[in-house]
Amino acid sequence: KSPRAIQQANYILKYSLKEKNDILEVGGGNCNTSLLLRDKNNKIKISCCDSKFWKDYYKTNIINHIEELFPFSSESKYDLIISSHHLEHMLDLKNSIDALYNLLKDDGYLFVEVPNTPDVYWKRYIIDTPHLFFFTQKSLINVFKKSGFRLVDSQIFGNTYDDLIKKVGQNYQNINNDGAYLKAIFKK
């Protein structure tokens, strides 16, 4: 499994979310984070919203492919939704966050990971397409609170942008206020 997925699963498990059985990954690609969580709890059912490109992979790995495009509505509700490097690509951020809220069970959790874009980000020549939304820790927390979520925890982590530009090996375990990434867990 990838180092990013390992750090995501460890962060989620830190908040005793391993008993959550119904997981949705939005834009999950290979769903490595959910698969790592299922390794810890074989009762977990994984659903994913992503391209049909992954359909055979999902079938092999017992992942329910439910939609290609987000947002979508469904009668199904989830204990945990994982949105990793997905929100910054959405055309309508408010609609997407509202859809995440509506897809969660009443006591459900949302894990979000996005690029961190503080002042230093804008002072570097960083080609960052096709991102449509840009977040700081404060703006990420505020946009979710406005939609009714409660913050459980958030962290800035990973290499600095200077390290990324220099192509220093990625360190997702590095909790760093100058890190290039943000992660947060919210509760409905």
Side-chain angles (χ1 to χ4, degrees), residues 3 11-12 21 28 54 109-110 114 122 125 130-131 138 141 163 179:
Y11 185 70
I12 291 167
N21 292 328
W54 294 96
Y109 289 85
L110 170 66
V114 294
W122 300 103
Y125 180 71
H131 293 175
K138 183 177 179 179
I141 292 167
D163 286 344

Side-chain angles (χ1 to χ4, degrees), residues 84-97:
S84 176
H85 294 270
H86 173 257
L87 283 175
E88 63 271 22
H89 301 277
M90 294 287 82
L91 292 175
D92 184 337
L93 184 62
K94 171 101 173 84
N95 189 31
S96 297
I97 292 172

